[in-house]
Short mmCIF file of all heavy atoms in Angstrom, two decimals:
data_model
loop_
_atom_site.label_atom_id
_atom_site.label_comp_id
_atom_site.label_asym_id
_atom_site.label_seq_id
_atom_site.Cartn_x
_atom_site.Cartn_y
_atom_site.Cartn_z
N TRP A 126 -43.30 15.63 -52.54
CA TRP A 126 -43.01 17.02 -52.86
C TRP A 126 -44.27 17.86 -52.90
O TRP A 126 -44.24 19.04 -52.70
CB TRP A 126 -42.21 17.14 -54.15
CG TRP A 126 -42.92 16.76 -55.41
CD1 TRP A 126 -43.93 17.44 -56.00
CD2 TRP A 126 -42.69 15.64 -56.25
NE1 TRP A 126 -44.34 16.82 -57.14
CE2 TRP A 126 -43.59 15.71 -57.33
CE3 TRP A 126 -41.81 14.59 -56.20
CZ2 TRP A 126 -43.64 14.76 -58.34
CZ3 TRP A 126 -41.86 13.65 -57.22
CH2 TRP A 126 -42.76 13.75 -58.27
N ALA A 127 -45.43 17.23 -53.14
CA ALA A 127 -46.67 17.99 -53.21
C ALA A 127 -46.99 18.65 -51.87
O ALA A 127 -47.46 19.77 -51.84
CB ALA A 127 -47.82 17.09 -53.65
N LEU A 128 -46.72 17.96 -50.78
CA LEU A 128 -47.01 18.53 -49.47
C LEU A 128 -46.16 19.77 -49.22
O LEU A 128 -46.66 20.78 -48.75
CB LEU A 128 -46.76 17.49 -48.38
CG LEU A 128 -47.07 17.94 -46.95
CD1 LEU A 128 -48.54 18.36 -46.84
CD2 LEU A 128 -46.77 16.84 -45.97
N ASP A 129 -44.88 19.70 -49.55
CA ASP A 129 -44.02 20.87 -49.39
C ASP A 129 -44.54 22.04 -50.21
O ASP A 129 -44.56 23.18 -49.74
CB ASP A 129 -42.58 20.57 -49.82
CG ASP A 129 -41.86 19.66 -48.84
OD1 ASP A 129 -42.26 19.62 -47.66
OD2 ASP A 129 -40.91 18.98 -49.25
N PHE A 130 -44.97 21.77 -51.44
CA PHE A 130 -45.47 22.82 -52.31
C PHE A 130 -46.73 23.45 -51.72
O PHE A 130 -46.87 24.66 -51.68
CB PHE A 130 -45.74 22.25 -53.69
CG PHE A 130 -46.28 23.24 -54.68
CD1 PHE A 130 -45.51 24.31 -55.10
CD2 PHE A 130 -47.55 23.10 -55.19
CE1 PHE A 130 -46.00 25.22 -56.02
CE2 PHE A 130 -48.04 24.00 -56.12
CZ PHE A 130 -47.26 25.06 -56.53
N GLN A 131 -47.64 22.61 -51.22
CA GLN A 131 -48.88 23.11 -50.66
C GLN A 131 -48.64 23.94 -49.41
O GLN A 131 -49.38 24.86 -49.12
CB GLN A 131 -49.83 21.95 -50.33
CG GLN A 131 -50.36 21.28 -51.57
CD GLN A 131 -51.14 20.01 -51.26
OE1 GLN A 131 -51.22 19.59 -50.13
NE2 GLN A 131 -51.69 19.41 -52.29
N GLU A 132 -47.60 23.63 -48.67
CA GLU A 132 -47.29 24.37 -47.46
C GLU A 132 -46.46 25.61 -47.74
O GLU A 132 -46.05 26.31 -46.84
CB GLU A 132 -46.56 23.47 -46.46
CG GLU A 132 -47.43 22.36 -45.91
CD GLU A 132 -46.67 21.45 -44.96
OE1 GLU A 132 -45.45 21.63 -44.78
OE2 GLU A 132 -47.30 20.56 -44.40
N GLY A 133 -46.16 25.87 -49.01
CA GLY A 133 -45.41 27.05 -49.38
C GLY A 133 -43.91 26.91 -49.23
O GLY A 133 -43.19 27.89 -49.20
N LYS A 134 -43.43 25.70 -49.10
CA LYS A 134 -41.99 25.46 -48.97
C LYS A 134 -41.41 25.17 -50.35
O LYS A 134 -41.02 24.05 -50.67
CB LYS A 134 -41.74 24.29 -48.02
CG LYS A 134 -42.25 24.52 -46.62
CD LYS A 134 -42.02 23.29 -45.77
CE LYS A 134 -42.61 23.45 -44.40
NZ LYS A 134 -42.48 22.20 -43.63
N ASN A 135 -41.34 26.19 -51.18
CA ASN A 135 -40.93 26.01 -52.57
C ASN A 135 -39.53 25.42 -52.71
O ASN A 135 -39.30 24.58 -53.57
CB ASN A 135 -41.01 27.32 -53.33
CG ASN A 135 -42.43 27.75 -53.58
OD1 ASN A 135 -43.35 26.96 -53.46
ND2 ASN A 135 -42.63 29.00 -53.90
N SER A 136 -38.60 25.85 -51.88
CA SER A 136 -37.24 25.33 -52.02
C SER A 136 -37.18 23.85 -51.69
O SER A 136 -36.48 23.08 -52.35
CB SER A 136 -36.25 26.12 -51.16
OG SER A 136 -36.57 26.01 -49.80
N ASP A 137 -37.95 23.42 -50.67
CA ASP A 137 -38.00 21.99 -50.33
C ASP A 137 -38.68 21.20 -51.45
O ASP A 137 -38.23 20.12 -51.82
CB ASP A 137 -38.76 21.77 -49.03
CG ASP A 137 -38.03 22.32 -47.81
OD1 ASP A 137 -36.81 22.58 -47.92
OD2 ASP A 137 -38.67 22.48 -46.77
N ALA A 138 -39.77 21.75 -51.97
CA ALA A 138 -40.48 21.07 -53.05
C ALA A 138 -39.61 20.96 -54.29
O ALA A 138 -39.58 19.91 -54.94
CB ALA A 138 -41.78 21.82 -53.37
N LEU A 139 -38.88 22.02 -54.60
CA LEU A 139 -38.01 21.99 -55.77
C LEU A 139 -36.90 20.96 -55.60
O LEU A 139 -36.59 20.22 -56.54
CB LEU A 139 -37.42 23.38 -56.02
CG LEU A 139 -36.65 23.55 -57.32
CD1 LEU A 139 -37.53 23.25 -58.53
CD2 LEU A 139 -36.10 24.97 -57.41
N GLU A 140 -36.36 20.87 -54.42
CA GLU A 140 -35.32 19.88 -54.15
C GLU A 140 -35.86 18.45 -54.34
O GLU A 140 -35.20 17.61 -54.95
CB GLU A 140 -34.80 20.05 -52.72
CG GLU A 140 -33.67 19.14 -52.35
CD GLU A 140 -33.17 19.39 -50.94
OE1 GLU A 140 -33.04 20.56 -50.55
OE2 GLU A 140 -32.92 18.39 -50.24
N GLU A 141 -37.05 18.22 -53.84
CA GLU A 141 -37.65 16.89 -53.96
C GLU A 141 -37.99 16.54 -55.41
O GLU A 141 -37.79 15.42 -55.86
CB GLU A 141 -38.90 16.78 -53.08
CG GLU A 141 -38.60 16.83 -51.60
CD GLU A 141 -37.70 15.69 -51.15
OE1 GLU A 141 -37.92 14.54 -51.55
OE2 GLU A 141 -36.77 15.96 -50.37
N VAL A 142 -38.52 17.50 -56.14
CA VAL A 142 -38.90 17.23 -57.53
C VAL A 142 -37.64 17.03 -58.38
O VAL A 142 -37.63 16.20 -59.29
CB VAL A 142 -39.83 18.32 -58.08
CG1 VAL A 142 -39.11 19.55 -58.50
CG2 VAL A 142 -40.66 17.79 -59.24
N ASP A 143 -36.57 17.74 -58.06
CA ASP A 143 -35.31 17.53 -58.78
C ASP A 143 -34.76 16.13 -58.52
O ASP A 143 -34.18 15.50 -59.40
CB ASP A 143 -34.29 18.60 -58.43
CG ASP A 143 -34.59 19.93 -59.11
OD1 ASP A 143 -35.38 19.96 -60.07
OD2 ASP A 143 -34.02 20.95 -58.67
N LYS A 144 -34.95 15.62 -57.30
CA LYS A 144 -34.55 14.25 -56.99
C LYS A 144 -35.36 13.26 -57.84
O LYS A 144 -34.81 12.28 -58.36
CB LYS A 144 -34.77 13.94 -55.51
CG LYS A 144 -33.77 14.58 -54.59
CD LYS A 144 -34.09 14.21 -53.15
CE LYS A 144 -33.27 15.00 -52.16
NZ LYS A 144 -33.67 14.68 -50.77
N ALA A 145 -36.66 13.52 -57.96
CA ALA A 145 -37.52 12.64 -58.76
C ALA A 145 -37.08 12.63 -60.22
O ALA A 145 -37.05 11.58 -60.86
CB ALA A 145 -38.98 13.07 -58.64
N ILE A 146 -36.71 13.79 -60.74
CA ILE A 146 -36.25 13.89 -62.12
C ILE A 146 -34.92 13.17 -62.29
O ILE A 146 -34.69 12.50 -63.31
CB ILE A 146 -36.16 15.36 -62.57
CG1 ILE A 146 -37.58 15.95 -62.68
CG2 ILE A 146 -35.40 15.51 -63.88
CD1 ILE A 146 -37.62 17.45 -62.86
N ALA A 147 -34.06 13.27 -61.29
CA ALA A 147 -32.76 12.57 -61.36
C ALA A 147 -32.97 11.05 -61.39
O ALA A 147 -32.25 10.34 -62.11
CB ALA A 147 -31.89 12.96 -60.17
N ILE A 148 -33.96 10.57 -60.66
CA ILE A 148 -34.25 9.14 -60.64
C ILE A 148 -34.88 8.70 -61.96
O ILE A 148 -34.55 7.66 -62.50
CB ILE A 148 -35.18 8.80 -59.45
CG1 ILE A 148 -34.41 8.99 -58.15
CG2 ILE A 148 -35.73 7.39 -59.57
CD1 ILE A 148 -35.28 8.96 -56.91
N ASP A 149 -35.81 9.52 -62.46
CA ASP A 149 -36.52 9.18 -63.71
C ASP A 149 -36.61 10.43 -64.59
O ASP A 149 -37.56 11.20 -64.46
CB ASP A 149 -37.91 8.64 -63.41
CG ASP A 149 -38.67 8.27 -64.66
OD1 ASP A 149 -38.10 8.32 -65.78
OD2 ASP A 149 -39.86 7.91 -64.52
N PRO A 150 -35.64 10.62 -65.48
CA PRO A 150 -35.64 11.81 -66.34
C PRO A 150 -36.80 11.86 -67.34
O PRO A 150 -36.97 12.87 -68.01
CB PRO A 150 -34.30 11.76 -67.07
CG PRO A 150 -33.58 10.58 -66.58
CD PRO A 150 -34.47 9.81 -65.67
N ASN A 151 -37.60 10.80 -67.40
CA ASN A 151 -38.74 10.78 -68.31
C ASN A 151 -40.06 10.95 -67.56
O ASN A 151 -41.12 10.62 -68.08
CB ASN A 151 -38.76 9.49 -69.12
CG ASN A 151 -37.58 9.42 -70.05
OD1 ASN A 151 -37.27 10.38 -70.73
ND2 ASN A 151 -36.91 8.29 -70.07
N ASN A 152 -40.00 11.49 -66.36
CA ASN A 152 -41.17 11.69 -65.53
C ASN A 152 -41.83 13.03 -65.87
O ASN A 152 -41.44 14.08 -65.35
CB ASN A 152 -40.75 11.63 -64.05
CG ASN A 152 -41.91 11.69 -63.10
OD1 ASN A 152 -42.98 12.19 -63.43
ND2 ASN A 152 -41.70 11.19 -61.90
N ALA A 153 -42.82 12.98 -66.72
CA ALA A 153 -43.49 14.20 -67.19
C ALA A 153 -44.14 14.95 -66.04
O ALA A 153 -44.09 16.19 -65.99
CB ALA A 153 -44.54 13.86 -68.25
N LEU A 154 -44.74 14.23 -65.11
CA LEU A 154 -45.40 14.87 -63.98
C LEU A 154 -44.40 15.65 -63.13
O LEU A 154 -44.69 16.76 -62.68
CB LEU A 154 -46.13 13.84 -63.13
CG LEU A 154 -46.94 14.36 -61.97
CD1 LEU A 154 -48.00 15.35 -62.45
CD2 LEU A 154 -47.59 13.21 -61.23
N ALA A 155 -43.22 15.11 -62.94
CA ALA A 155 -42.20 15.81 -62.16
C ALA A 155 -41.78 17.11 -62.84
O ALA A 155 -41.63 18.14 -62.18
CB ALA A 155 -40.99 14.90 -61.93
N TYR A 156 -41.61 17.07 -64.15
CA TYR A 156 -41.26 18.30 -64.88
C TYR A 156 -42.39 19.33 -64.80
O TYR A 156 -42.14 20.53 -64.63
CB TYR A 156 -40.93 18.00 -66.34
CG TYR A 156 -39.54 17.47 -66.53
CD1 TYR A 156 -39.32 16.12 -66.73
CD2 TYR A 156 -38.44 18.32 -66.52
CE1 TYR A 156 -38.04 15.62 -66.92
CE2 TYR A 156 -37.15 17.84 -66.70
CZ TYR A 156 -36.96 16.49 -66.90
OH TYR A 156 -35.70 16.01 -67.07
N ALA A 157 -43.62 18.87 -64.91
CA ALA A 157 -44.76 19.78 -64.82
C ALA A 157 -44.82 20.41 -63.43
O ALA A 157 -45.05 21.62 -63.29
CB ALA A 157 -46.06 19.03 -65.11
N PHE A 158 -44.58 19.60 -62.42
CA PHE A 158 -44.61 20.11 -61.06
C PHE A 158 -43.44 21.06 -60.82
O PHE A 158 -43.59 22.07 -60.13
CB PHE A 158 -44.58 18.94 -60.07
CG PHE A 158 -45.09 19.34 -58.73
CD1 PHE A 158 -46.43 19.59 -58.52
CD2 PHE A 158 -44.23 19.48 -57.66
CE1 PHE A 158 -46.91 19.98 -57.28
CE2 PHE A 158 -44.68 19.86 -56.42
CZ PHE A 158 -46.02 20.11 -56.23
N ARG A 159 -42.30 20.77 -61.41
CA ARG A 159 -41.14 21.66 -61.30
C ARG A 159 -41.49 23.05 -61.85
O ARG A 159 -41.18 24.07 -61.25
CB ARG A 159 -39.94 21.08 -62.03
CG ARG A 159 -38.67 21.88 -61.83
CD ARG A 159 -37.47 21.20 -62.50
NE ARG A 159 -36.22 21.63 -61.91
CZ ARG A 159 -35.64 22.81 -62.15
NH1 ARG A 159 -36.20 23.66 -62.98
NH2 ARG A 159 -34.51 23.14 -61.55
N ALA A 160 -42.16 23.06 -62.99
CA ALA A 160 -42.57 24.34 -63.58
C ALA A 160 -43.51 25.09 -62.64
O ALA A 160 -43.36 26.30 -62.44
CB ALA A 160 -43.25 24.09 -64.93
N GLU A 161 -44.47 24.39 -62.04
CA GLU A 161 -45.40 25.04 -61.12
C GLU A 161 -44.69 25.62 -59.91
O GLU A 161 -44.99 26.73 -59.47
CB GLU A 161 -46.47 24.05 -60.67
CG GLU A 161 -47.49 23.75 -61.74
CD GLU A 161 -48.64 22.93 -61.20
OE1 GLU A 161 -49.16 23.29 -60.11
OE2 GLU A 161 -49.01 21.95 -61.84
N VAL A 162 -43.75 24.86 -59.36
CA VAL A 162 -43.02 25.33 -58.18
C VAL A 162 -42.21 26.58 -58.53
O VAL A 162 -42.20 27.56 -57.78
CB VAL A 162 -42.10 24.23 -57.62
CG1 VAL A 162 -41.16 24.78 -56.56
CG2 VAL A 162 -42.92 23.08 -57.06
N LEU A 163 -41.55 26.55 -59.68
CA LEU A 163 -40.74 27.71 -60.09
C LEU A 163 -41.62 28.94 -60.32
O LEU A 163 -41.26 30.05 -59.93
CB LEU A 163 -39.94 27.38 -61.35
CG LEU A 163 -38.78 26.39 -61.13
CD1 LEU A 163 -38.25 25.90 -62.46
CD2 LEU A 163 -37.68 27.04 -60.30
N ILE A 164 -42.76 28.75 -60.94
CA ILE A 164 -43.67 29.87 -61.18
C ILE A 164 -44.22 30.39 -59.85
O ILE A 164 -44.30 31.59 -59.63
CB ILE A 164 -44.81 29.45 -62.13
CG1 ILE A 164 -44.25 29.24 -63.52
CG2 ILE A 164 -45.93 30.49 -62.13
CD1 ILE A 164 -45.19 28.53 -64.48
N ASP A 165 -44.57 29.48 -58.96
CA ASP A 165 -45.14 29.86 -57.67
C ASP A 165 -44.14 30.64 -56.82
O ASP A 165 -44.53 31.41 -55.95
CB ASP A 165 -45.62 28.63 -56.91
CG ASP A 165 -46.35 29.00 -55.63
OD1 ASP A 165 -47.39 29.67 -55.74
OD2 ASP A 165 -45.86 28.64 -54.55
N SER A 166 -42.86 30.44 -57.06
CA SER A 166 -41.84 31.14 -56.27
C SER A 166 -41.94 32.66 -56.46
O SER A 166 -41.50 33.42 -55.60
CB SER A 166 -40.44 30.66 -56.63
OG SER A 166 -40.06 31.16 -57.90
N GLY A 167 -42.49 33.08 -57.60
CA GLY A 167 -42.66 34.51 -57.86
C GLY A 167 -41.40 35.23 -58.28
O GLY A 167 -41.41 36.45 -58.43
N LEU A 168 -40.33 34.51 -58.48
CA LEU A 168 -39.08 35.13 -58.89
C LEU A 168 -38.96 35.11 -60.41
O LEU A 168 -39.02 34.05 -61.02
CB LEU A 168 -37.88 34.40 -58.27
CG LEU A 168 -37.84 34.37 -56.75
CD1 LEU A 168 -36.69 33.49 -56.27
CD2 LEU A 168 -37.71 35.77 -56.19
N PHE A 169 -38.79 36.26 -61.01
CA PHE A 169 -38.68 36.33 -62.45
C PHE A 169 -37.44 35.62 -62.97
O PHE A 169 -37.38 35.22 -64.13
CB PHE A 169 -38.71 37.78 -62.94
CG PHE A 169 -40.07 38.39 -62.80
CD1 PHE A 169 -40.31 39.37 -61.85
CD2 PHE A 169 -41.12 38.00 -63.61
CE1 PHE A 169 -41.56 39.94 -61.70
CE2 PHE A 169 -42.37 38.55 -63.47
CZ PHE A 169 -42.60 39.53 -62.52
N ASP A 170 -36.45 35.42 -62.11
CA ASP A 170 -35.25 34.69 -62.51
C ASP A 170 -35.58 33.25 -62.88
O ASP A 170 -34.81 32.60 -63.59
CB ASP A 170 -34.22 34.66 -61.37
CG ASP A 170 -33.70 36.05 -61.02
OD1 ASP A 170 -33.91 36.98 -61.83
OD2 ASP A 170 -33.11 36.19 -59.95
N ASN A 171 -36.71 32.74 -62.40
CA ASN A 171 -37.07 31.34 -62.63
C ASN A 171 -37.93 31.13 -63.87
O ASN A 171 -38.26 29.99 -64.19
CB ASN A 171 -37.83 30.80 -61.41
CG ASN A 171 -36.95 30.70 -60.20
OD1 ASN A 171 -35.74 30.57 -60.30
ND2 ASN A 171 -37.55 30.76 -59.03
N ILE A 172 -38.30 32.19 -64.55
CA ILE A 172 -39.23 32.07 -65.68
C ILE A 172 -38.68 31.17 -66.79
O ILE A 172 -39.39 30.31 -67.30
CB ILE A 172 -39.60 33.47 -66.24
CG1 ILE A 172 -40.34 34.28 -65.19
CG2 ILE A 172 -40.40 33.36 -67.53
CD1 ILE A 172 -41.66 33.69 -64.75
N ASP A 173 -37.44 31.35 -67.16
CA ASP A 173 -36.86 30.53 -68.22
C ASP A 173 -36.78 29.06 -67.81
O ASP A 173 -37.08 28.17 -68.61
CB ASP A 173 -35.47 31.03 -68.63
CG ASP A 173 -35.52 32.37 -69.35
OD1 ASP A 173 -36.59 32.70 -69.92
OD2 ASP A 173 -34.50 33.08 -69.33
N ASP A 174 -36.40 28.81 -66.57
CA ASP A 174 -36.36 27.43 -66.07
C ASP A 174 -37.75 26.81 -66.04
O ASP A 174 -37.93 25.64 -66.37
CB ASP A 174 -35.73 27.37 -64.67
CG ASP A 174 -34.25 27.66 -64.68
OD1 ASP A 174 -33.61 27.54 -65.75
OD2 ASP A 174 -33.72 28.02 -63.61
N ALA A 175 -38.73 27.59 -65.64
CA ALA A 175 -40.11 27.09 -65.60
C ALA A 175 -40.61 26.77 -67.00
O ALA A 175 -41.25 25.74 -67.22
CB ALA A 175 -41.02 28.12 -64.93
N ALA A 176 -40.31 27.64 -67.95
CA ALA A 176 -40.73 27.40 -69.34
C ALA A 176 -40.07 26.14 -69.90
O ALA A 176 -40.73 25.34 -70.56
CB ALA A 176 -40.39 28.61 -70.21
N GLU A 177 -38.79 25.96 -69.60
CA GLU A 177 -38.09 24.76 -70.07
C GLU A 177 -38.68 23.50 -69.44
O GLU A 177 -38.87 22.49 -70.12
CB GLU A 177 -36.60 24.85 -69.75
CG GLU A 177 -35.80 23.65 -70.17
CD GLU A 177 -35.85 23.36 -71.67
OE1 GLU A 177 -35.98 24.30 -72.47
OE2 GLU A 177 -35.77 22.18 -72.04
N ALA A 178 -38.97 23.54 -68.16
CA ALA A 178 -39.56 22.38 -67.48
C ALA A 178 -40.94 22.06 -68.06
O ALA A 178 -41.27 20.88 -68.27
CB ALA A 178 -39.67 22.64 -65.98
N SER A 179 -41.72 23.08 -68.36
CA SER A 179 -43.05 22.83 -68.92
C SER A 179 -42.96 22.29 -70.35
O SER A 179 -43.73 21.40 -70.73
CB SER A 179 -43.93 24.08 -68.87
OG SER A 179 -43.44 25.08 -69.72
N ARG A 180 -41.99 22.76 -71.13
CA ARG A 180 -41.79 22.21 -72.48
C ARG A 180 -41.38 20.74 -72.41
O ARG A 180 -41.88 19.91 -73.18
CB ARG A 180 -40.73 23.01 -73.23
CG ARG A 180 -41.23 24.30 -73.82
CD ARG A 180 -40.23 24.91 -74.80
NE ARG A 180 -39.01 25.36 -74.13
CZ ARG A 180 -38.84 26.55 -73.58
NH1 ARG A 180 -39.83 27.43 -73.60
NH2 ARG A 180 -37.69 26.88 -73.02
N LYS A 181 -40.50 20.42 -71.48
CA LYS A 181 -40.05 19.04 -71.31
C LYS A 181 -41.21 18.15 -70.89
O LYS A 181 -41.38 17.05 -71.40
CB LYS A 181 -38.92 18.99 -70.28
CG LYS A 181 -38.38 17.63 -70.01
CD LYS A 181 -37.52 17.11 -71.13
CE LYS A 181 -36.87 15.81 -70.72
NZ LYS A 181 -36.04 15.24 -71.74
N ALA A 182 -42.02 18.62 -69.95
CA ALA A 182 -43.19 17.86 -69.49
C ALA A 182 -44.13 17.56 -70.65
O ALA A 182 -44.58 16.42 -70.83
CB ALA A 182 -43.92 18.63 -68.40
N LEU A 183 -44.41 18.56 -71.45
CA LEU A 183 -45.31 18.38 -72.57
C LEU A 183 -44.73 17.47 -73.63
O LEU A 183 -45.44 16.66 -74.23
CB LEU A 183 -45.65 19.75 -73.17
CG LEU A 183 -46.86 19.82 -74.08
CD1 LEU A 183 -48.11 19.31 -73.39
CD2 LEU A 183 -47.07 21.23 -74.57
N ALA A 184 -43.42 17.55 -73.85
CA ALA A 184 -42.77 16.66 -74.82
C ALA A 184 -42.84 15.20 -74.37
O ALA A 184 -42.95 14.30 -75.21
CB ALA A 184 -41.32 17.08 -75.02
N LEU A 185 -42.81 14.99 -73.07
CA LEU A 185 -42.84 13.62 -72.55
C LEU A 185 -44.24 13.02 -72.53
O LEU A 185 -44.41 11.82 -72.71
CB LEU A 185 -42.24 13.58 -71.14
CG LEU A 185 -40.74 13.79 -71.06
CD1 LEU A 185 -40.31 14.00 -69.61
CD2 LEU A 185 -40.00 12.61 -71.67
N ASP A 186 -45.25 13.87 -72.29
CA ASP A 186 -46.62 13.34 -72.20
C ASP A 186 -47.61 14.46 -72.51
O ASP A 186 -47.87 15.32 -71.68
CB ASP A 186 -46.88 12.79 -70.80
CG ASP A 186 -48.20 12.06 -70.69
OD1 ASP A 186 -49.10 12.27 -71.53
OD2 ASP A 186 -48.33 11.25 -69.77
N THR A 187 -48.16 14.42 -73.71
CA THR A 187 -49.10 15.46 -74.13
C THR A 187 -50.50 15.24 -73.56
O THR A 187 -51.33 16.13 -73.65
CB THR A 187 -49.21 15.52 -75.67
OG1 THR A 187 -49.64 14.25 -76.14
CG2 THR A 187 -47.88 15.89 -76.27
N HIS A 188 -50.75 14.07 -72.99
CA HIS A 188 -52.10 13.76 -72.50
C HIS A 188 -52.30 14.04 -71.02
O HIS A 188 -53.44 14.12 -70.56
CB HIS A 188 -52.44 12.30 -72.79
CG HIS A 188 -52.39 11.97 -74.24
ND1 HIS A 188 -53.29 12.47 -75.15
CD2 HIS A 188 -51.51 11.24 -74.96
CE1 HIS A 188 -52.98 12.04 -76.36
NE2 HIS A 188 -51.89 11.29 -76.27
N LEU A 189 -51.23 14.19 -70.29
CA LEU A 189 -51.32 14.42 -68.85
C LEU A 189 -51.80 15.85 -68.61
O LEU A 189 -51.22 16.81 -69.10
CB LEU A 189 -49.95 14.20 -68.22
CG LEU A 189 -49.85 14.13 -66.72
CD1 LEU A 189 -50.64 12.94 -66.19
CD2 LEU A 189 -48.39 13.99 -66.31
N MET A 190 -52.88 15.99 -67.85
CA MET A 190 -53.47 17.31 -67.59
C MET A 190 -52.45 18.27 -67.01
O MET A 190 -52.40 19.44 -67.38
CB MET A 190 -54.66 17.18 -66.66
CG MET A 190 -55.31 18.51 -66.34
SD MET A 190 -56.55 18.44 -65.05
CE MET A 190 -55.55 18.10 -63.61
N GLU A 191 -51.63 17.81 -66.08
CA GLU A 191 -50.66 18.68 -65.43
C GLU A 191 -49.63 19.25 -66.39
O GLU A 191 -49.16 20.36 -66.21
CB GLU A 191 -49.94 17.93 -64.28
CG GLU A 191 -50.82 17.65 -63.10
CD GLU A 191 -51.67 16.40 -63.24
OE1 GLU A 191 -51.63 15.74 -64.30
OE2 GLU A 191 -52.38 16.07 -62.29
N THR A 192 -49.30 18.49 -67.44
CA THR A 192 -48.33 19.01 -68.41
C THR A 192 -48.94 20.15 -69.21
O THR A 192 -48.27 21.13 -69.50
CB THR A 192 -47.81 17.92 -69.36
OG1 THR A 192 -48.88 17.39 -70.13
CG2 THR A 192 -47.12 16.81 -68.61
N ARG A 193 -50.20 20.03 -69.53
CA ARG A 193 -50.86 21.11 -70.27
C ARG A 193 -51.06 22.34 -69.38
O ARG A 193 -50.91 23.46 -69.82
CB ARG A 193 -52.20 20.64 -70.81
CG ARG A 193 -52.02 19.65 -71.93
CD ARG A 193 -53.30 19.43 -72.66
NE ARG A 193 -53.49 18.00 -72.79
CZ ARG A 193 -54.65 17.43 -73.01
NH1 ARG A 193 -55.72 18.16 -73.10
NH2 ARG A 193 -54.74 16.15 -73.14
N ARG A 194 -51.40 22.10 -68.11
CA ARG A 194 -51.58 23.21 -67.18
C ARG A 194 -50.26 23.95 -66.96
O ARG A 194 -50.23 25.18 -66.91
CB ARG A 194 -52.15 22.70 -65.86
CG ARG A 194 -52.47 23.84 -64.91
CD ARG A 194 -53.11 23.37 -63.64
NE ARG A 194 -52.19 22.52 -62.92
CZ ARG A 194 -52.57 21.48 -62.18
NH1 ARG A 194 -53.83 21.16 -62.10
NH2 ARG A 194 -51.69 20.76 -61.55
N ALA A 195 -49.17 23.20 -66.84
CA ALA A 195 -47.87 23.83 -66.62
C ALA A 195 -47.47 24.68 -67.82
O ALA A 195 -46.83 25.70 -67.68
CB ALA A 195 -46.80 22.75 -66.37
N ARG A 196 -47.87 24.28 -69.00
CA ARG A 196 -47.54 25.03 -70.23
C ARG A 196 -48.34 26.30 -70.35
O ARG A 196 -47.89 27.28 -70.92
CB ARG A 196 -47.76 24.15 -71.45
CG ARG A 196 -47.27 24.73 -72.72
CD ARG A 196 -45.75 24.83 -72.71
NE ARG A 196 -45.30 25.43 -73.93
CZ ARG A 196 -44.44 26.43 -73.99
NH1 ARG A 196 -43.91 26.92 -72.91
NH2 ARG A 196 -44.08 26.94 -75.13
N ALA A 197 -49.52 26.31 -69.77
CA ALA A 197 -50.37 27.50 -69.84
C ALA A 197 -49.75 28.60 -69.04
O ALA A 197 -49.64 29.70 -69.36
CB ALA A 197 -51.76 27.20 -69.31
#
């Protein structure tokens, strides 16, 4: 999913990260990345979803740099 995100394919990246979360709902990195993708989309409709994903990421792993970055 990182490649899709880097290439600006937010919808593809979001689909892939949602698959990762479905496989492992305790994947903090996937939730952090989901928040980044939603924020990067630039749509204000996604703000609440991004905030929820970042809270979940941080709740799962407070030490992972990406979870803290997603919360910022």
